[in-house]
Each structure stands twice: as C-alpha cells, then as structure tokens.
Amino acid sequence: MSRTTHITPVILSGGAGTRLWPLSRGDRPKQLIALAGNETMLQATARRAARGEMFAAPLVVAGGDHADMIEEQLAVAGAAPAALIVEPCARGTAPAIALAALEAGEQAMLLAMPSDHVIADEEAFRAAMEAALPLADEDWLVTFGVAPERAETGYGYIERGAPLGRGVFQVERFTEKPDLATAEAYVAGGRHEWNAGIFLFRAGAYLRALEEYAPEILVAARSAMEAAERRGARVAPGREALAGLDSRSIDHAVMEKAARVAVAPVAMGWSDIGSWDALHALGPRDADGNLIAGDALAVDSRGCLIRSDGPVVVALGVSDLIIVATERAVLVVPRGESQRVKEALDALIARGKEE
Amino acid sequence: MSRTTHITPVILSGGAGTRLWPLSRGDRPKQLIALAGNETMLQATARRAARGEMFAAPLVVAGGDHADMIEEQLAVAGAAPAALIVEPCARGTAPAIALAALEAGEQAMLLAMPSDHVIADEEAFRAAMEAALPLADEDWLVTFGVAPERAETGYGYIERGAPLGRGVFQVERFTEKPDLATAEAYVAGGRHEWNAGIFLFRAGAYLRALEEYAPEILVAARSAMEAAERRGARVAPGREALAGLDSRSIDHAVMEKAARVAVAPVAMGWSDIGSWDALHALGPRDADGNLIAGDALAVDSRGCLIRSDGPVVVALGVSDLIIVATERAVLVVPRGESQRVKEALDALIARGKEE
C-alpha cells in the first residue's frame, strides 16, 4: 500500500448543542461562533489542517441550515472545502464520516474531527498525526487520546494496550461515559485517555470496518451518495436511505468493535468547551479572574465569565457568576453550575419562549 | 378667605434619575415607566388625584424631551392636563412650582407632588389632605410627613412641633440629609417624619413666601411666564430669566425658612423607589422571594429582582441578585448594593459607552 502524501481533513459540523446557550442555539451552533479568540471554532479547525504540504482541501459535513454560514466562514478563512456535504438529516458521526469517505474515495487518508474543539498546541497535534500516519497507512483506525484532567463522566475513555510504535498503542477497550467511581479509577490508573473524537484512517479501512460491524450504515451511505445532487462544492446526499438509520456514533458503530484500532496519546491543550465553565477555565482571564468577551464590563467583580453579543452587560460587585447575553436572551448562573444550562432551556420551553 | 372646593394637582415630572439604570435613562426617566403594576408612575400619580369632586385637572411641569410621552400617557390614563408647562431648563422644584402657581392663579389650592412616588394607601393620603386643607385655606404651607422606617441618610426630615389641629402639626425644623447617627436618633425619637416632597398650599401663599425668602425665583418665574409661548395645553416659559437661576428645591428656598409651615404625618405606604432594592422591598414577590417583571424567569433562584424590558432573562441557581435587562444594557448587582448603580454608569461613561 502506498505511503500517504496528503491527508484530507473531514470537518464534522453537524452538531447544534445547547450547552453554551444562550450564545449557541439551533440557528447558530457553537462551531460557528468566535468563542475563544477572533476566529470561529470552525475557522480554527479548518486553519489547523490548512491545505498545504500536509493537507488537502477539507471535506465538511453539516446540516443544511448552516451551509451558507459555513461557506462564508471558510471563505473568510481561506479554506474553501473540496466538498460541503449537506446532511439531509442528522444521524450521528458514523454515517457522516461514511458519506465523506465515499466522497473522498477508498485511497484517501482522512482526518475526521469535530468542528468545535480547541487545540492550543497545534505542533503537538501535528506530531501525533505524524506518529499515527504509518499505522493508518497499514489500515489501522487511529484515534487521538487526551490525558484526562479530571474524572469527567461525560466523555468516552480509551484504555491503552500494547505499544505499536513510537507514541501509538493498540486500544485495549473503549468505555463510554463511565460512572464517577470508574472515571476516578481511570484518572488515577494512568492507562486511560479521553477520547477526543478525532480520527485518522484510510477511507477504505473505515468503509470495510463499517461493512463488517455496521453494514446498514454503509448501505445507506452508498445509496445516499448515489442519489446525491451536486451544485458547485455542495453535495446533497439522498434523504430516503439515511432517514431510515438510527443515530450512531463512530465509536459505537466501529471503534469499540474493530480489531485494528490504535490510540495516539497527545498533550495538545485540548478542550471541547462543553460548558461555560470550560470556557472560563480556558481563559484568558484578567487580574480579577474575569473572562470578559464582547460588550461587557466587570466593576468590583471577581471570578466571572461575562460575555455579550447583544446589550452591554455590567457586573457590579459580584463574584463567580457566569453572565451571558445576546439580543434575545440573558443567562445568569453561578460558576461551577453551567452544566445546568439545560434547566434554563427546559424552563423556557415550558413557558413556550424557546424553540 | 373662601373655603377651597377643588384642589389643583401640580405634577412635577422634571427628574431624570439614573438610580434605576438601566431601565431609567435620560430619554425615559423613572416616572414614565411601569415600575410597580401596569401603569407608569406618572399615570398612577395622575390617577391618585384624578379630576372629580376633590380635584381639578392637573398642571404638569416637565422637561421638553418628555412632553410627548407625558401627553400620551396622561391621555391613556384619562387625565389630560389643564396645562403642560415645559421647562426650558431644569432649576429644581422651587422654580417649577412657581411656574405652576403663576399659571394656576393666586386663589388656586395646589397639591404639588413628584410624579415618581408610590402611595399604596390612597385613602390615607386623601384623609391627610382633608386634615391639611383647613390650614392650607388659612395660608399655611403644608407638607406631608412619612414615619421613617429606617435611618435613611438620603432624605429630608421634619421635626413636629405644636399640634395645629387633628393630624396636623407646626413644623419645628427641617433637616436635609442628616448623618447616620442623627438619622438614627430621629428614628428612635419618634418626633421626626420623612419629608415626602408632597405639598398642599394656596398658590398665593407660596408666591408670597417666595417673595420674602427667594425673591429672585419669583422675579424669574414671572418674567418667564410673561414670555411664555402657548400652543394647546402646552406652555413654554421663556428661557432667559430661568437660565440665570441656580437650581433650588422648595425645601431649601421656602419651607425651611417660612413661618407658617405645617406637617401632616400620614402612614400611606409611601416609597420613592429610590433604588432597585426599594422596588424589591415593595414587592410583590413569589414564594421564593423573587420579584419577577417582564420577560424573565427564575429557576431554582431565591431573593432576586429579575426584570427585563428586552431579551428574556433566566436566572438559574442564584440568590439575592438584582438582574435588570433592557435592549441596550444589562445590570447584575447583589441585592442590598443597588445604590452602587452609579458606579456601573461611571464605568460605562469612562469607556464612552453611555451618554
């Protein structure tokens, strides 16, 4: 099998999470917002794997509601996609990556990654990819692991097995969302990594694994791509075949089951910014521990995250609050409790104030 | 001297306080906002002295920026003014009431009152007026006193002297904004009332007192009214004479000096809503002690004032906060510290964000 010269980034932009409500909403999900710094998460993701010596132009998989915004943002970032695959319905990462793999062709080396993660140390990320590439060339499915910083119960964990080369290990076991005691044992044991949701593999290797472990996904994806309508870079797969699928993650459909699965542990300053607290932890914070973004002001206040994309916000004499404002909504919640955002949304939905 | 049959309300709407920022601002002061209940403070003030057996149509004194809003609100309340005196410049209550007294004529019995106070017990207010009227008919200047609830240092205090009749006393002394120890002694002593800024007197009695104690105000007011331009109910006094005056309160110019000054103490559920904390104290509050107004929601939150005239506000898991939102600004400050609002405004002004 030939050595890979170019990697094709597959940017997964299908999510529309509400964990950063009120800033992220259905019509403007987290990856399309400038959360950390001046570029959006999508732009940062594209720039991280920008076309050049190492990477080809990216494939992007996204929902139709966001396609225009995605094209605009990638144009601004100078990272026009080779194809923007517009999912007719969201069915999780396993079908999404299957669509991209079929578009790219069996020989393509794919780097599949979410569009809404922060990676502070991009050198470390590239070094890990280079370490993983020889295995991917031998048709291993490689995932990237992040050393767990805390006993997070919301993530997947990967247990390292035998070393396969410098910086790459066979995967012993995947565990999705362990209970707290298990997560604590994993953190203490030192043999587990967080599953960062970033994967390197040859398209053909992934498609063959699908054929073995989740053939219905492969069949549906093939059928959808055969029925695809194309206009410019946009590819609109057929709805019918995909609509019949259950939603499946690549972890659940393939990685937890396949034999040749490897993990490349990497310390790269990774965060999925899964909450306002995570964003506050990421910084930068001022001398009083406040993270201020947008049209906001802290007066005699400490340890706050204060952000506005709408009316000017003034926090006066308060501590350890998260205050986020848009033109449509304002959230005030204590720091450390931002995972409760869903309660705010549920209360609004109960009042009929939010879709 | 003839017994008064009708009282002419003089509604003073000249203020543009910022103590309830961000809701109250220069272009929409407190009295033009529905703060407590469905009517604005101005409408509640007009309704409290509505034309009928006891009252004539009101005179309103206001700044030109608010004249349109005032006319609209009074029309809605069915309380069209006999005259809307548009001050060419704000010079305090002494000149403002002088303009109204000249407009009303010497024989008119005036009830001068701010447009932005709450009076919960209107029966008590009317009873106090009826007790005060015989004295006002004898050319006493009568003020209404409110039993002090706390050692407030921001108010004026009135010391009761000899009784002049049922429920009316000669004023022994006015004290403006005492220090805390003095205020505490007043509250403990039981001989002092808060000066509610509401006055009952014959126009001629007030004008004669001005002539004696602040003749420059009378001269300027006469000159301004002689130069007044009239269009419909609007009266626009001449600017020149008034512009030369210093700003003076009626207390400072007249009440503290005149001989025939009486006080009618009255327990009428009075509040000047001088801060967000005062509004929270006024209620109504839900079972968790929250005062919610406008498009706002408290989830697992206690003891908060949450108000929005703009984006929907959700307070989640917080206690004892004041959260006020408009389309232009959001303020978050602990309950008990709302007198610090000016610090928020100063910080914004320093940033050039607020006029």
Side-chain angles (χ1 to χ4, degrees):
Chain A
M1 195 162 285
S2 67
R3 290 280 301 171
T4 296
T5 52
H6 275 77
I7 297 170
T8 300
V10 175
I11 300 176
L12 303 168
S13 183
T18 54
R19 292 181 298 175
L20 298 186
W21 184 88
L23 201 59
S24 69
R25 316 171 68 121
D27 59 359
R28 195 171 185 89
K30 182 177 124 196
Q31 63 267 28
L32 302 184
I33 298 172
L35 266 183
N38 292 322
E39 50 187 11
T40 69
M41 312 291 286
L42 173 73
Q43 288 171 324
T45 302
R47 193 192 32 69
R48 192 181 297 141
R51 190 172 184 168
E53 282 185 25
M54 192 167 191
F55 296 103
L59 303 177
V60 178
V61 189
D65 290 350
H66 309 139
D68 289 344
M69 266 192 285
I70 287 169
E71 280 187 339
E72 282 166 32
Q73 291 193 3
L74 291 179
V76 168
L84 171 53
I85 301 172
V86 179
E87 291 182 292
C89 49
R91 288 296 181 265
T93 50
I97 298 171
L99 298 174
L102 291 168
E103 175 71 14
E106 296 223 342
Q107 287 307 307
M109 180 62 68
L110 306 183
L111 174 69
M113 52 188 173
S115 56
D116 61 348
H117 290 181
V118 162
I119 292 176
D121 186 349
E122 303 194 346
E123 281 306 307
F125 178 49
R126 289 204 177 206
M129 261 188 303
E130 279 164 16
L133 203 49
L135 281 165
D137 265 329
E138 293 170 15
D139 281 352
W140 285 75
L141 307 174
V142 186
T143 179
F144 295 87
V146 171
E149 292 166 12
R150 58 187 186 279
E152 172 69 54
T153 56
Y155 292 160
Y157 286 72
I158 302 167
E159 184 181 347
R160 286 194 301 272
L164 295 171
R166 188 178 57 83
V168 197
F169 301 81
Q170 185 147 13
V171 168
E172 187 69 28
R173 188 177 294 107
F174 278 92
T175 308
E176 188 64 13
K177 297 183 181 172
D179 61 33
L180 184 61
T182 305
E184 283 170 347
Y186 288 173
V187 173
R191 302 187 56 226
H192 286 78
E193 311 283 334
W194 281 340
N195 182 359
I198 304 173
F199 305 96
L200 185 73
F201 43 60
R202 203 176 286 284
Y206 176 64
L207 294 171
R208 280 189 295 280
L210 273 181
E211 191 165 32
E212 185 164 355
Y213 301 106
E216 72 285 3
I217 293 176
L218 182 62
V219 168
R222 274 201 208 285
S223 168
M225 288 305 276
E226 280 160 14
E229 292 179 15
R230 293 169 178 272
R231 205 177 67 239
R234 287 208 197 176
V235 181
R239 170 184 293 273
E240 202 176 341
L242 290 169
L245 289 176
D246 291 334
S247 195
R248 296 283 291 283
S249 72
I250 180 176
D251 301 289
H252 188 260
V254 169
M255 301 302 281
E256 295 175 6
K257 295 167 180 161
R260 286 166 75 86
V261 176
V263 59
V266 53
M268 56 185 179
W270 174 88
S271 170
D272 70 346
I273 315 191
S275 67
W276 288 114
D277 281 299
L279 190 64
H280 184 267
L282 209 61
R285 296 179 295 279
D286 66 18
D288 294 320
N290 299 307
L291 172 55
I292 312 282
D295 202 3
L297 207 53
V299 181
D300 185 29
S301 293
R302 269 158 292 280
C304 294
L305 183 157
I306 313 171
R307 167 162 191 140
S308 180
D309 290 31
V312 60
V313 173
V314 184
L316 171 62
V318 297
S319 295
D320 300 319
L321 288 180
I322 289 163
I323 307 170
V324 182
T326 71
E327 287 180 5
R328 296 200 282 181
V330 178
L331 171 71
V332 182
V333 62
R335 239 186 65 217
E337 300 189 29
S338 66
Q339 80 286 357
R340 297 179 62 187
V341 159
K342 196 169 177 305
E343 293 176 48
L345 263 171
D346 288 346
L348 282 176
I349 289 165
R351 272 222 332 204
K353 294 294 301 179
E354 191 82 348
E355 65 283 357
Chain B
M1 195 161 284
S2 67
R3 290 280 301 171
T4 296
T5 52
H6 276 76
I7 297 171
T8 300
V10 175
I11 300 176
L12 303 168
S13 183
T18 54
R19 291 181 297 174
L20 297 186
W21 184 87
L23 201 60
S24 68
R25 315 171 68 121
D27 59 0
R28 195 171 185 89
K30 183 177 123 197
Q31 63 268 27
L32 302 183
I33 298 172
L35 267 183
N38 292 322
E39 51 186 10
T40 67
M41 311 292 286
L42 173 73
Q43 287 172 323
T45 302
R47 192 191 33 69
R48 192 181 298 142
R51 191 172 183 170
E53 281 185 25
M54 194 170 190
F55 296 104
L59 303 176
V60 179
V61 189
D65 291 350
H66 309 141
D68 289 344
M69 266 192 286
I70 287 169
E71 279 187 341
E72 282 166 32
Q73 291 194 2
L74 291 179
V76 167
L84 170 53
I85 301 172
V86 179
E87 291 182 292
C89 49
R91 287 296 181 266
T93 49
I97 297 171
L99 298 173
L102 291 167
E103 175 71 14
E106 297 221 340
Q107 287 307 308
M109 180 62 67
L110 306 182
L111 174 70
M113 53 189 173
S115 57
D116 61 348
H117 290 180
V118 162
I119 291 176
D121 186 347
E122 304 195 344
E123 282 304 307
F125 178 49
R126 290 204 176 204
M129 262 187 302
E130 279 166 15
L133 202 50
L135 280 167
D137 265 329
E138 293 171 14
D139 281 353
W140 285 76
L141 307 174
V142 186
T143 178
F144 295 87
V146 171
E149 293 167 11
R150 58 187 187 277
E152 172 68 54
T153 57
Y155 292 160
Y157 286 72
I158 302 166
E159 184 181 347
R160 287 195 300 274
L164 296 170
R166 188 178 56 84
V168 197
F169 300 81
Q170 186 148 13
V171 168
E172 187 69 29
R173 188 177 294 109
F174 279 92
T175 308
E176 188 65 14
K177 296 183 183 174
D179 60 33
L180 184 61
T182 306
E184 283 170 348
Y186 288 173
V187 173
R191 301 189 56 226
H192 286 80
E193 311 283 334
W194 281 340
N195 182 359
I198 303 173
F199 306 95
L200 185 73
F201 43 61
R202 204 175 286 284
Y206 176 64
L207 295 171
R208 280 189 296 281
L210 274 181
E211 189 164 35
E212 185 164 355
Y213 302 106
E216 73 285 2
I217 293 176
L218 181 63
V219 168
R222 274 198 206 287
S223 169
M225 289 304 277
E226 279 160 14
E229 292 178 16
R230 292 168 179 273
R231 206 178 66 241
R234 287 208 197 176
V235 181
R239 171 184 294 273
E240 202 176 341
L242 290 169
L245 288 176
D246 291 333
S247 195
R248 296 283 291 284
S249 72
I250 180 176
D251 300 289
H252 188 260
V254 169
M255 302 302 280
E256 295 175 6
K257 295 167 180 161
R260 286 166 74 86
V261 176
V263 59
V266 54
M268 56 185 178
W270 174 89
S271 170
D272 70 346
I273 314 191
S275 67
W276 288 115
D277 281 298
L279 189 65
H280 184 268
L282 209 62
R285 296 179 296 279
D286 66 19
D288 294 320
N290 299 306
L291 173 55
I292 312 283
D295 203 2
L297 207 52
V299 182
D300 185 30
S301 293
R302 269 158 291 280
C304 294
L305 183 158
I306 314 171
R307 170 167 187 135
S308 179
D309 291 31
V312 59
V313 173
V314 184
L316 171 63
V318 297
S319 294
D320 300 319
L321 288 180
I322 289 163
I323 307 171
V324 183
T326 71
E327 287 179 5
R328 296 200 281 182
V330 179
L331 171 71
V332 182
V333 62
R335 237 186 67 216
E337 300 189 29
S338 66
Q339 80 287 355
R340 298 178 62 187
V341 159
K342 197 170 176 304
E343 293 176 48
L345 264 171
D346 289 346
L348 282 175
I349 290 164
R351 272 222 332 206
K353 295 292 302 178
E354 192 82 348
E355 65 282 358

